[in-house]
Amino acid sequence: YEWTNGELFLNAGDITVTGDGARTTFVDAANGSRFLDLGNGLTAFSLNDLELRNGFDGNDPGGAIENDCDALSLNRVSLRNCMTGIGFGGAIHNRGGMDINACAFIDCIAEANSGQNGGGGGGGAFGGGGAVSSWLGSSSTFENCTFSGSQAF
């Protein structure tokens, strides 16, 4: 599936999205936007059995997902070739709570900026969390996950 409408902001409800499997259900943003911005008004958000490809955000952390929800759950999801240009969380930037089970993070990049878009404040920002970054006070649990080729610089 082609993801062409830009970032989707969700801030209410208990939402579950389920594909037919990470090897058969692909959602590709073609480096045009991140997929999801999950607000703290969400009760819960679950993503199951699919692959998110080529998510990108040059101005905010989290190339595929920015999470403020306290109950984010990913099950059997692949995040491939996702990137942020602000330096934190090539695939996911977490400020809430998340449980990640049997997921793969492949070739995701958190690239530092020169201070032009926030995080660097003029002095430049460092890259942190090639695949995932989590702020102080957030919670993250990973079980049976694979990390391959992701980097922060």
Side-chain angles (χ1 to χ4, degrees):
Y1 302 97
E2 292 181 19
W3 186 272
T4 57
N5 291 327
E7 170 183 293
L8 179 61
F9 177 66
L10 301 169
N11 199 35
D14 184 339
I15 300 169
T16 298
V17 176
T18 302
D20 287 329
R23 293 185 178 183
T24 57
T25 304
F26 308 113
V27 184
D28 192 339
N31 297 313
S33 72
R34 87 159 50 107
F35 296 96
L36 300 167
D37 184 350
L38 305 176
N40 62 8
L42 274 171
T43 305
F45 185 86
S46 297
L47 196 59
N48 308 301
D49 304 308
L50 55 84
E51 179 173 303
L52 299 177
R53 294 180 176 172
N54 302 311
F56 174 77
D57 196 311
N59 296 314
D60 275 326
I65 300 171
E66 185 170 12
N67 180 48
D68 285 301
C69 173
D70 284 333
L72 169 62
S73 175
L74 271 63
N75 299 289
R76 299 165 307 280
V77 172
S78 292
L79 293 111
R80 182 183 303 269
N81 298 324
C82 295
M83 180 179 176
T84 179
I86 195 92
F88 300 100
I92 300 173
H93 179 65
N94 180 41
R95 288 188 297 254
M98 62 182 191
D99 291 314
I100 312 296
N101 302 293
C103 292
F105 296 85
I106 303 159
D107 297 329
C108 296
I109 296 173
E111 184 176 354
N113 68 28
S114 64
Q116 299 168 12
N117 296 323
F126 61 91
V132 179
S133 66
S134 288
W135 269 171
L136 183 66
S138 64
S139 65
S140 303
T141 302
F142 297 87
E143 189 171 325
N144 298 319
C145 293
T146 300
F147 294 84
S148 174
S150 296
Q151 54 185 317
F153 54 90

